[in-house]
Short mmCIF file of all heavy atoms in Angstrom, two decimals:
data_model
loop_
_atom_site.label_atom_id
_atom_site.label_comp_id
_atom_site.label_asym_id
_atom_site.label_seq_id
_atom_site.Cartn_x
_atom_site.Cartn_y
_atom_site.Cartn_z
N ASN A 1 -6.24 3.24 -9.74
CA ASN A 1 -6.87 2.36 -8.74
C ASN A 1 -6.19 0.99 -8.68
O ASN A 1 -5.94 0.47 -7.59
CB ASN A 1 -8.36 2.18 -9.07
CG ASN A 1 -9.16 3.45 -8.86
OD1 ASN A 1 -8.84 4.26 -8.00
ND2 ASN A 1 -10.21 3.63 -9.65
N LEU A 2 -5.90 0.42 -9.85
CA LEU A 2 -5.27 -0.89 -9.88
C LEU A 2 -3.83 -0.83 -9.40
O LEU A 2 -3.41 -1.64 -8.56
CB LEU A 2 -5.34 -1.49 -11.29
CG LEU A 2 -6.71 -1.96 -11.78
CD1 LEU A 2 -6.62 -2.52 -13.18
CD2 LEU A 2 -7.29 -3.01 -10.84
N MET A 3 -3.05 0.13 -9.91
CA MET A 3 -1.63 0.21 -9.57
C MET A 3 -1.43 0.53 -8.09
O MET A 3 -0.59 -0.08 -7.41
CB MET A 3 -0.93 1.26 -10.43
CG MET A 3 -0.73 0.85 -11.88
SD MET A 3 0.21 -0.70 -12.06
CE MET A 3 1.78 -0.20 -11.34
N SER A 4 -2.20 1.48 -7.56
CA SER A 4 -2.02 1.86 -6.15
C SER A 4 -2.36 0.71 -5.22
O SER A 4 -1.62 0.43 -4.26
CB SER A 4 -2.87 3.09 -5.82
OG SER A 4 -4.25 2.84 -6.05
N THR A 5 -3.47 0.02 -5.49
CA THR A 5 -3.86 -1.08 -4.61
C THR A 5 -2.93 -2.29 -4.77
O THR A 5 -2.57 -2.93 -3.78
CB THR A 5 -5.31 -1.51 -4.88
OG1 THR A 5 -5.49 -1.80 -6.28
CG2 THR A 5 -6.28 -0.40 -4.48
N VAL A 6 -2.54 -2.58 -6.00
CA VAL A 6 -1.63 -3.71 -6.24
C VAL A 6 -0.28 -3.46 -5.58
O VAL A 6 0.31 -4.37 -4.96
CB VAL A 6 -1.45 -3.97 -7.76
CG1 VAL A 6 -0.26 -4.90 -8.01
CG2 VAL A 6 -2.71 -4.56 -8.35
N LEU A 7 0.23 -2.23 -5.67
CA LEU A 7 1.52 -1.92 -5.05
C LEU A 7 1.47 -2.04 -3.54
O LEU A 7 2.41 -2.53 -2.91
CB LEU A 7 1.96 -0.50 -5.45
CG LEU A 7 2.46 -0.33 -6.88
CD1 LEU A 7 2.74 1.14 -7.20
CD2 LEU A 7 3.74 -1.16 -7.12
N VAL A 8 0.37 -1.58 -2.94
CA VAL A 8 0.20 -1.73 -1.48
C VAL A 8 0.23 -3.21 -1.10
O VAL A 8 0.90 -3.61 -0.13
CB VAL A 8 -1.12 -1.08 -1.01
CG1 VAL A 8 -1.44 -1.48 0.43
CG2 VAL A 8 -1.03 0.43 -1.10
N ILE A 9 -0.48 -4.03 -1.88
CA ILE A 9 -0.53 -5.47 -1.60
C ILE A 9 0.84 -6.11 -1.78
O ILE A 9 1.30 -6.88 -0.92
CB ILE A 9 -1.57 -6.16 -2.51
CG1 ILE A 9 -2.99 -5.71 -2.13
CG2 ILE A 9 -1.47 -7.69 -2.41
CD1 ILE A 9 -4.06 -6.10 -3.13
N ILE A 10 1.52 -5.78 -2.88
CA ILE A 10 2.83 -6.38 -3.16
C ILE A 10 3.85 -6.02 -2.09
O ILE A 10 4.54 -6.89 -1.53
CB ILE A 10 3.34 -5.96 -4.56
CG1 ILE A 10 2.51 -6.62 -5.66
CG2 ILE A 10 4.82 -6.32 -4.73
CD1 ILE A 10 2.83 -6.13 -7.05
N PHE A 11 3.97 -4.73 -1.78
CA PHE A 11 4.96 -4.29 -0.79
C PHE A 11 4.62 -4.82 0.60
O PHE A 11 5.51 -5.16 1.39
CB PHE A 11 5.09 -2.77 -0.78
CG PHE A 11 5.95 -2.24 -1.89
CD1 PHE A 11 5.38 -1.58 -2.97
CD2 PHE A 11 7.32 -2.43 -1.88
CE1 PHE A 11 6.17 -1.09 -4.00
CE2 PHE A 11 8.12 -1.96 -2.91
CZ PHE A 11 7.55 -1.28 -3.98
N SER A 12 3.32 -4.89 0.93
CA SER A 12 2.92 -5.45 2.22
C SER A 12 3.39 -6.89 2.36
O SER A 12 3.96 -7.28 3.39
CB SER A 12 1.39 -5.38 2.39
OG SER A 12 0.94 -4.06 2.46
N TYR A 13 3.20 -7.67 1.31
CA TYR A 13 3.57 -9.08 1.38
C TYR A 13 5.07 -9.31 1.24
O TYR A 13 5.59 -10.33 1.71
CB TYR A 13 2.77 -9.90 0.37
CG TYR A 13 1.42 -10.28 0.91
CD1 TYR A 13 0.25 -9.62 0.50
CD2 TYR A 13 1.29 -11.27 1.89
CE1 TYR A 13 -0.98 -9.95 1.03
CE2 TYR A 13 0.05 -11.60 2.42
CZ TYR A 13 -1.07 -10.94 1.99
OH TYR A 13 -2.29 -11.27 2.53
N ILE A 14 5.77 -8.39 0.63
CA ILE A 14 7.23 -8.48 0.61
C ILE A 14 7.76 -8.35 2.04
O ILE A 14 8.61 -9.14 2.49
CB ILE A 14 7.84 -7.39 -0.29
CG1 ILE A 14 7.61 -7.73 -1.78
CG2 ILE A 14 9.35 -7.26 -0.04
CD1 ILE A 14 8.03 -6.65 -2.74
N TYR A 15 7.26 -7.35 2.77
CA TYR A 15 7.69 -7.16 4.16
C TYR A 15 7.19 -8.31 5.04
O TYR A 15 7.90 -8.74 5.97
CB TYR A 15 7.16 -5.83 4.69
CG TYR A 15 7.96 -4.64 4.21
CD1 TYR A 15 7.44 -3.78 3.24
CD2 TYR A 15 9.23 -4.37 4.72
CE1 TYR A 15 8.17 -2.68 2.79
CE2 TYR A 15 9.96 -3.27 4.29
CZ TYR A 15 9.43 -2.43 3.33
OH TYR A 15 10.17 -1.35 2.89
N ILE A 16 5.97 -8.80 4.77
CA ILE A 16 5.44 -9.93 5.55
C ILE A 16 6.31 -11.17 5.35
O ILE A 16 6.65 -11.86 6.32
CB ILE A 16 3.98 -10.23 5.13
CG1 ILE A 16 3.04 -9.14 5.65
CG2 ILE A 16 3.54 -11.60 5.65
CD1 ILE A 16 1.63 -9.21 5.09
N LEU A 17 6.68 -11.44 4.09
CA LEU A 17 7.52 -12.61 3.79
C LEU A 17 8.87 -12.49 4.49
O LEU A 17 9.37 -13.47 5.05
CB LEU A 17 7.72 -12.73 2.27
CG LEU A 17 8.53 -13.94 1.79
CD1 LEU A 17 7.84 -15.24 2.20
CD2 LEU A 17 8.71 -13.89 0.27
N GLY A 18 9.44 -11.27 4.46
CA GLY A 18 10.72 -11.05 5.14
C GLY A 18 10.61 -11.30 6.63
O GLY A 18 11.50 -11.92 7.24
N ALA A 19 9.51 -10.84 7.24
CA ALA A 19 9.31 -11.03 8.67
C ALA A 19 9.11 -12.51 9.01
O ALA A 19 9.62 -13.01 10.02
CB ALA A 19 8.11 -10.22 9.13
N ILE A 20 8.38 -13.23 8.16
CA ILE A 20 8.14 -14.66 8.40
C ILE A 20 9.42 -15.46 8.31
O ILE A 20 9.67 -16.36 9.12
CB ILE A 20 7.08 -15.19 7.41
CG1 ILE A 20 5.70 -14.59 7.72
CG2 ILE A 20 7.00 -16.72 7.46
CD1 ILE A 20 4.62 -14.94 6.70
N LEU A 21 10.26 -15.16 7.32
CA LEU A 21 11.51 -15.89 7.14
C LEU A 21 12.49 -15.66 8.29
O LEU A 21 13.36 -16.50 8.56
CB LEU A 21 12.18 -15.47 5.82
CG LEU A 21 11.43 -15.88 4.53
CD1 LEU A 21 12.11 -15.33 3.30
CD2 LEU A 21 11.29 -17.41 4.44
N LYS A 22 12.33 -14.54 8.97
CA LYS A 22 13.20 -14.24 10.12
C LYS A 22 12.74 -14.93 11.40
O LYS A 22 13.48 -14.97 12.39
CB LYS A 22 13.25 -12.73 10.36
CG LYS A 22 14.01 -11.96 9.29
CD LYS A 22 13.96 -10.46 9.56
CE LYS A 22 14.66 -9.68 8.46
NZ LYS A 22 14.58 -8.21 8.69
N MET A 23 11.50 -15.47 11.39
CA MET A 23 11.00 -16.15 12.58
C MET A 23 11.75 -17.45 12.82
O MET A 23 11.97 -18.24 11.90
CB MET A 23 9.50 -16.46 12.42
CG MET A 23 8.61 -15.24 12.41
SD MET A 23 6.87 -15.69 12.17
CE MET A 23 6.10 -14.08 12.18
N SER A 24 12.14 -17.69 14.07
CA SER A 24 12.87 -18.91 14.41
C SER A 24 11.93 -20.07 14.68
O SER A 24 12.29 -21.24 14.51
CB SER A 24 13.75 -18.66 15.64
OG SER A 24 12.96 -18.18 16.72
N SER A 25 10.70 -19.75 15.07
CA SER A 25 9.73 -20.78 15.41
C SER A 25 8.97 -21.26 14.18
O SER A 25 8.42 -20.46 13.42
CB SER A 25 8.73 -20.24 16.45
OG SER A 25 7.64 -21.11 16.61
#
C-alpha cells in the first residue's frame, strides 16, 4: 500500500516538474 501509492505520487510529480520547467510563461 505504501510503496504503490508513494511511487504513483513520486512519478506523477517527476513528470509534473518536467512539464512545468518546459513552460515558457
